[in-house]
């Protein structure tokens, strides 16, 4: 089976039919009242837990801020009442909000966040390890002592940042502009990122 995220806020189930697929008319999840398609915003990505019991979605709120949210699955439907927000991130501009959320081969949850928008990263977020914008984050979605998720101990900045700089321990890698899509190589486990360039490369 395939599942699709519609930017306007619907998660759809594509059911095998003949040589192709048909779209189940009943959405798996309806977030149309919880998001906006202004700029590059909307429902930007989804992933399922390895056992299929939980759905993770990355969407922007009506005000444009990022939300990473977990839902419990009941069959082919997400239970709306089970909504659990794992992460909220303020977005300074309506573009470069990232998009991809994926479960890696290590079972951890990866989230791509853009630098926050405009041109040339005017706020310097990509190289600033004290913020999560312009990064790919690596989380354990299970609740921890300090919040709705746990930071894996093997993340590179758990013990602190470069030269003692303030660093968010959720960061897996930094310096990206807008990692709209990424994927893990099934053969090697390598992470391949489709980033967004500016003027010279795209």
């Amino acid at each position: 089976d395939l599942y699709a995220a519609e930017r306007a806020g619907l998660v759809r189930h594509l059911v095998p039919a003949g040589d192709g697929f048909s779209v189940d008319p009943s959405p798996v999840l309806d977030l149309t009242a919880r998001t906006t398609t202004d700029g590059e915003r909307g429902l930007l990505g989804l992933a399922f837990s390895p056992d299929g019991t939980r759905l993770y979605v990355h969407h922007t709120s009506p005000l444009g801020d990022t939300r990473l949210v977990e839902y419990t699955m009941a069959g082919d439907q997400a239970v709306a009442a089970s909504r659990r927000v794992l992460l909220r991130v303020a977005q300074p501009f309506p573009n470069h909000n990232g998009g991809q959320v994926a479960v890696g081969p290590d079972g951890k949850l990866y989230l791509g966040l853009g630098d926050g928008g405009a041109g040339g990263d005017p706020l310097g977020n990509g190289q600033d390890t004290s913020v999560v914008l312009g990064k790919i984050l690596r989380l354990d979605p299970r609740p921890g002592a300090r919040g709705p998720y746990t930071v894996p101990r093997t993340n590179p900045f758990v013990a602190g940042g470069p030269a003692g700089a303030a660093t968010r321990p959720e960061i897996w890698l930094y310096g990206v502009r807008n990692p709209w899509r990424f994927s893990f190589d099934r053969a090697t486990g390598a992470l391949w990122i489709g980033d967004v360039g500016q003027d010279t490369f795209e």
Side-chain angles (χ1 to χ4, degrees):
D1 291 6
L2 293 178
Y3 293 85
E6 294 183 359
R7 188 167 159 242
L10 295 179
V11 176
R12 295 285 195 182
H13 182 202
L14 281 65
V15 183
D19 294 332
F21 293 87
S22 64
V23 178
D24 188 330
S26 178
V28 175
L29 180 64
D30 185 348
L31 295 174
T32 53
R34 291 184 177 272
T35 192
T36 175
T37 55
D38 176 49
E40 296 176 2
R41 297 162 170 165
L43 173 56
L44 303 178
L46 66 84
F48 287 94
S49 62
D51 63 4
T53 62
R54 287 173 174 76
L55 170 65
Y56 300 98
V57 293
H58 173 193
H59 73 88
T60 43
S61 74
L63 297 178
D65 295 342
T66 287
R67 299 288 185 270
L68 175 63
V69 185
E70 176 191 88
Y71 289 91
T72 299
M73 292 294 294
D76 288 329
Q77 297 292 312
V79 180
S82 69
R83 178 180 173 90
R84 187 170 73 91
V85 178
L86 301 181
L87 184 68
R88 296 177 174 89
V89 181
Q91 293 285 356
F93 300 101
N95 64 329
H96 293 187
N97 293 169
Q100 182 75 26
V101 56
V103 175
D106 56 3
K108 300 300 187 286
L109 195 63
Y110 291 75
L111 174 68
L113 289 172
D115 60 19
D121 191 9
L123 303 179
N125 289 324
Q127 297 298 320
D128 183 352
T129 56
S130 70
V131 300
V132 296
L133 296 175
K135 316 294 188 298
I136 290 181
L137 309 183
R138 179 175 179 254
L139 312 171
D140 183 333
R142 293 177 298 181
R146 297 184 179 180
Y149 60 83
T150 302
V151 175
R153 294 182 180 180
T154 50
N155 276 12
F157 299 127
V158 166
T167 303
R168 292 287 296 266
E170 300 95 331
I171 296 172
W172 180 246
L173 62 86
Y174 68 99
V176 289
R177 187 163 185 255
N178 191 36
W180 170 244
R181 288 292 178 257
F182 58 81
S183 181
F184 292 92
D185 189 305
R186 293 183 181 180
T188 67
L191 176 61
W192 293 87
I193 307 168
D195 202 357
V196 175
Q198 181 173 321
D199 298 334
T200 305
F201 297 101
E202 192 68 55

